Amino acid sequence: MADRAAARRVPFPADKVRGRVLLPEDGSYSGECSGFQAGYRHRPDVVVAAADADDVRTAVRHAAEHELPFAVQATGHGLGTALDGGVLVSTRRMAHVQVDAAARTARIGAGARWGDVIEEAARSGLAPLSGSGPGVGAVSYTLNGGVGLLAREFGYAADHVRSLDVVTSDGRLRHVTPDSEPDLFWALRGGGGRGGFGVVTELEIGLLPVERFYGGQLIFDGALAGDVVEAWRAWTATVPEELTSSVTMLVFPDVPALPDRLRGRYAAQVQIAYDGGRAEGERLVEPLRAVGPRLDETLRTMPYTESAGVYNEPGMPHGYQGANVLLGGELPDREVLRSVLELTGPGAPSMTVLSLRHMGGALGREPEVPGAVGHRDAGHLMVLLSVTEDAASPEADAMHERVFGLVEPWTVGTNSNFLYGRASRAVPGVGPAVHGSEQRRRLRGLKALVDPVNLFGGI
């Protein structure tokens, strides 16, 4: 790629875009480069605040022609490598959502957030296979696979993609379907988020006939964390596919927005989403209540528009780093998990969130049209995230490596959705482990055809 000084000597053809073109000296430049990941941000020579796919094509052609570094950002949740120089395409204005109620589909723009899609689909009594946070970009989430609230029943979000519009490094806008470009359709659904095949400007996804579900949290004092994990381990072996759950340990921040019973307290949360009625949901959850008293309990039947209440994730940008491992059918031994809890609890070098997600069910089955999601045989997903002021925290890096080292005998791979910041590159085996060896071979072969200049990085 050309050096940064050379990039600044190449004027961007601003007259060829409908959106805005911003330079470092422009007042809106900093805000356009910012995202949810506040630990660091892109520092491009030019930002193209794209209004449509033609703007993206212009930006891609310019970067390719002049061999400039290139990146694209919608919400910035998954930022792992900040751009230094070159061209950044911001897609946040491409946030259109169009629902076809009869076909149970939605067309969503590159900048749409899950909250946008959820609200629009709900008008027709439908729901997308969205994740835990409504502020996350729907397209990038889906391209990385997408482990949704009801994933065990319906599979990965990528499994429900019907078509994609993608700008490749030659500046072409391709409409990708199983019939028009089967190899690229396979690759983008699970390998498109970090695979570097192009900039997806629009997705068509299938929607679910879900209006309400039973869900929320059981929150226990952290002193019971080990017991909660063991009870949850046994319990997940008995529940139907209609129930998706996780268990999360963290020290709640000491902030006025939280109730006194939670502020500054180490706690174990069980998050539950069950596509069924309240009576059966209550029966299914009862074994977990037997673990002990709860600090709080929010289980109820809720409209899908309130699904953010299952995880209650923070909505304010902050700095963080983290990674994950997919585990085989069984969780690690009790003693290993106790060691993991000790390392990630109140004594951790920075505020740390440890989450175990129950996989299996429909996640373990290939859809009718296969995609590039890796390691469908995993039984559980362990996610580790540390809140840091900036991108550099050697202490957090070291703790993450110790934790993932403890569970290495059970590790079968890594999930592409839960890789955050520097720690996503610090854990041995995280990068190539996203896909199996045969998947990687196929993805790299296609990458060489679609992006021979490696404009988009990735595989």
Side-chain angles (χ1 to χ4, degrees):
M1 291 291 179
D3 62 34
R4 186 162 188 170
R8 287 175 171 167
R9 292 194 295 268
V10 179
F12 187 89
D15 59 328
K16 294 184 178 179
V17 302
R18 290 183 57 236
R20 301 184 65 193
V21 175
L22 301 170
L23 302 177
E25 58 267 27
D26 294 326
S28 301
Y29 169 89
S30 180
E32 201 68 41
C33 293
S34 300
F36 190 80
Q37 167 63 274
Y40 46 92
R41 68 180 63 180
H42 294 297
R43 297 173 57 248
D45 291 314
V46 60
V47 180
V48 179
D52 54 29
D54 284 340
D55 286 358
V56 175
R57 293 178 66 197
T58 299
V60 168
R61 285 173 173 168
H62 179 78
E65 179 182 351
H66 298 286
E67 298 183 331
L68 302 176
F70 180 89
V72 61
Q73 175 170 282
T75 67
H77 279 75
L79 177 60
T81 302
L83 186 70
D84 186 14
V87 179
L88 172 67
V89 171
S90 170
T91 62
R92 63 181 65 175
R93 290 164 183 76
M94 299 169 61
H96 57 277
V97 179
Q98 182 179 359
V99 170
D100 184 332
R104 290 183 181 173
T105 61
R107 297 193 66 85
I108 56 178
R113 300 169 185 248
W114 273 128
D116 306 327
V117 185
I118 290 169
E119 290 292 335
E120 192 62 34
R123 302 179 194 277
S124 302
L126 301 169
L129 195 55
S130 54
S132 55
V136 171
V139 169
S140 56
Y141 164 97
T142 302
L143 297 177
N144 280 303
V147 182
L149 291 174
L150 296 173
R152 282 176 33 81
E153 181 179 8
F154 296 107
Y156 286 93
D159 298 342
H160 296 259
V161 172
R162 305 291 182 85
S163 68
L164 313 94
D165 290 345
V166 57
V167 177
T168 46
S169 63
D170 56 3
R172 288 177 54 198
L173 177 62
R174 306 186 187 205
H175 183 63
V176 178
T177 70
D179 298 323
S180 68
E181 299 201 52
D183 288 337
L184 194 52
F185 187 75
W186 170 83
L188 289 169
R189 294 160 47 248
R194 303 177 191 272
F197 295 100
V199 181
V200 173
T201 60
E202 186 175 85
L203 287 181
E204 182 180 9
I205 61 171
L207 299 174
L208 311 172
V210 176
E211 295 185 68
R212 304 174 69 81
F213 68 98
Y214 175 81
Q217 298 183 1
L218 297 169
I219 305 179
F220 299 85
D221 184 85
L224 293 173
D227 295 336
V228 171
V229 170
E230 288 305 314
W232 180 80
R233 176 211 297 269
W235 176 75
T236 54
T238 70
V239 298
E241 292 184 3
E242 291 80 9
L243 195 153
T244 303
S245 68
S246 62
V247 57
T248 301
M249 279 62 63
L250 79 162
V251 177
F252 280 103
D254 189 2
V255 294
L258 290 173
D260 289 343
R261 62 184 177 277
L262 299 180
R263 286 177 58 180
R265 195 161 186 171
Y266 181 52
Q269 304 167 277
V270 181
Q271 293 101 354
I272 292 168
Y274 171 58
D275 185 19
R278 179 183 180 87
E280 182 61 11
E282 289 284 313
R283 186 191 70 78
L284 288 168
V285 168
E286 195 56 36
L288 295 176
R289 292 196 175 105
V291 173
R294 274 81 64 200
L295 298 176
D296 200 3
E297 182 173 328
T298 64
L299 290 171
R300 61 189 175 90
T301 297
M302 65 178 74
Y304 201 88
T305 52
E306 298 177 12
S307 59
V310 174
Y311 280 81
N312 278 328
E313 293 177 339
M316 294 296 293
H318 56 280
Y320 51 96
Q321 59 189 70
N324 70 87
V325 288
L326 288 160
L327 306 172
E330 295 293 329
L331 282 172
D333 298 338
R334 176 193 294 260
E335 293 75 17
V336 171
L337 289 178
R338 295 274 180 171
S339 296
V340 169
L341 291 174
E342 184 176 349
L343 286 169
T344 59
S350 59
M351 177 187 171
T352 296
V353 180
L354 170 68
S355 181
L356 295 167
R357 295 190 177 221
H358 187 202
M359 305 292 276
L363 292 168
R365 298 189 289 269
E366 283 282 0
E368 183 177 346
V369 180
V373 172
H375 308 295
R376 287 181 178 266
D377 57 341
H380 298 86
L381 172 68
M382 174 184 285
V383 181
L384 192 57
L385 183 147
S386 291
V387 177
T388 55
E389 291 186 4
D390 54 32
S393 177
E395 296 82 8
D397 284 349
M399 183 267 286
H400 289 196
E401 290 196 33
R402 288 186 65 189
V403 170
F404 291 126
L406 286 172
V407 301
E408 192 276 334
W410 292 268
T411 298
V412 297
T414 300
N415 181 275
S416 189
N417 277 112
F418 301 93
L419 297 175
Y420 310 114
R422 291 182 68 254
S424 69
R425 304 188 301 279
V427 179
V430 162
V434 169
H435 298 98
S437 58
E438 179 57 28
Q439 286 179 321
R440 291 201 303 276
R441 184 199 63 77
R442 184 177 175 186
L443 288 166
R444 286 169 177 162
L446 185 61
K447 166 75 170 177
L449 295 174
V450 175
D451 184 21
V453 299
N454 197 31
L455 178 67
F456 304 115
I459 294 172

